[in-house]
């Protein structure tokens, strides 16, 4: 799966390299990892006023229950995964130029989820 510069999600068959266009086939795929900022599964990562280029990266935790994103504003945000609802509440930390981390929790995740996700980030 790739995301294009025009913000389209494309899926290719391996090893043939043929593009899959049948949405029913694509919907049945179980992904081993998730690093895309596009798709119905991650609609909630986009804030009301975000532009397309604001969210740069995404990664799902090994357990598959959390998603962390990075954006143009130096924010690392933590979401439940999948997050198909628009404008969901999130947890976030601010990465400063001195590499210190200020974590603010916005009452949306259990302590266990936060510890699991941020510990996997090796902060």
């Amino acid at each position: 799966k790739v995301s294009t510069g025009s913000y389209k999600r494309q899926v290719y068959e391996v090893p043939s390299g043929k593009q899959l266009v049948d949405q029913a086939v694509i919907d049945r795929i179980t992904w081993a990892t998730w690093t895309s900022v596009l798709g119905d599964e991650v609609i909630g990562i986009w804030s009301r006023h975000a532009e397309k280029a604001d969210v740069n990266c995404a990664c799902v935790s090994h357990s598959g229950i959390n998603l962390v994103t990075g954006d143009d504003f130096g924010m690392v945000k933590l979401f439940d995964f999948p997050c198909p609802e628009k404008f969901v509440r999130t947890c976030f930390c601010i990465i400063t130029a001195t590499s210190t981390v200020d974590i603010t929790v916005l009452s949306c995740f259990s302590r266990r989820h936060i510890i699991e996700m941020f510990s996997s980030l090796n902060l």
Side-chain angles (χ1 to χ4, degrees), residues 7 46-56 71-73:
Y7 294 91
W46 299 94
S47 68
R48 290 184 198 283
H49 307 291
E51 295 181 14
K52 284 185 178 177
D54 287 348
V55 181
N56 307 112
D71 65 28
D72 283 348
F73 310 105

Side-chain angles (χ1 to χ4, degrees), residues 3 10 13 16 20-21 23 44 46 58 66 72 76 83 87 89 98 119-121:
S3 300
Q10 297 177 340
E13 215 171 43
S16 72
L20 295 176
V21 292
Q23 192 59 46
W46 299 94
N66 297 115
D72 283 348
V76 175
C83 56
F87 318 127
R89 291 167 53 183
T98 58
S119 65
S120 71
L121 294 175

Side-chain angles (χ1 to χ4, degrees), residues 76-104:
V76 175
K77 296 179 182 177
L78 178 65
F79 299 88
D80 283 328
F81 184 79
C83 56
E85 301 296 322
K86 289 184 177 183
F87 318 127
V88 296
R89 291 167 53 183
T90 183
C91 300
F92 64 93
C93 66
I94 302 166
I95 307 298
T96 66
T98 58
S99 298
T100 59
V101 178
D102 174 25
I103 298 175
T104 305

Side-chain angles (χ1 to χ4, degrees), residues 16-84:
S16 72
K18 284 180 33 183
Q19 183 175 357
L20 295 176
V21 292
D22 184 350
Q23 192 59 46
V25 171
I26 294 169
D27 289 343
R28 287 193 304 268
I29 297 172
T30 300
W31 300 101
T33 61
W34 187 281
T35 57
S36 179
V37 298
L38 302 177
D40 293 339
E41 301 85 348
V42 294
I43 288 173
I45 69 173
W46 299 94
S47 68
R48 290 184 198 283
H49 307 291
E51 295 181 14
K52 284 185 178 177
D54 287 348
V55 181
N56 307 112
C57 57
C59 186
V60 171
S61 65
H62 294 293
S63 64
I65 60 173
N66 297 115
L67 173 77
V68 66
T69 64
D71 65 28
D72 283 348
F73 310 105
M75 303 293 286
V76 175
K77 296 179 182 177
L78 178 65
F79 299 88
D80 283 328
F81 184 79
C83 56

